[in-house]
Amino acid sequence: MSTARIASPGEPRWFLGTLVHPLVSGEDTDGRFALWETVLPCGAAPPLHTHPQDETFYVLDGALTVWAEESASSCGRGDVVFVPGGVPHAFRVESETARLLFVSTPAGIDAYVADLSEPAGWPWLPPPPDGPRVPFDRLEAVERAHGVVRVGPPPTTKEER
């Protein structure tokens, strides 16, 4: 990248029950970083996982519990979470919804999101599915292609255990 560029935000996408607004892709930055905003429903929780990229997220609105390595922390509006690449992590949305700004450094997580998402039919959260959002074999293939490794299940509340 030899000159400054103005990125063009992408179209909203549904990603595993969330709404993603791509802001800056890895293509826009020659792979240096990617930036996107996500709206997540209550209870949204990826499995405990790792990936090669560092991941930073800023809580614009809502409340989360975040697990990184062996510790859990509550965070809310204005908090920033940084997880180095390779560190097992997960989170769970505790509020009705949460709105987060994500940064992948270098880029890469954005490509994973793109490969498992679809254009949003409307600019708000998708309805809950009747079955799995993505067939398990496709999920595994995309995880392998992007270096995402699931190391545990999604976090649960005490009531769900």
Side-chain angles (χ1 to χ4, degrees), residues 98-147:
R99 198 166 53 97
L100 309 176
L101 197 59
F102 284 89
V103 178
S104 170
T105 48
I109 302 171
D110 59 317
Y112 170 76
V113 170
D115 285 353
L116 283 176
S117 65
E118 61 186 274
W122 48 81
W124 56 84
L125 287 169
D130 291 334
R133 293 192 184 277
V134 175
F136 191 69
D137 57 338
R138 180 170 169 232
L139 180 64
E140 283 186 318
V142 172
E143 287 173 340
R144 270 193 310 279
H146 293 282

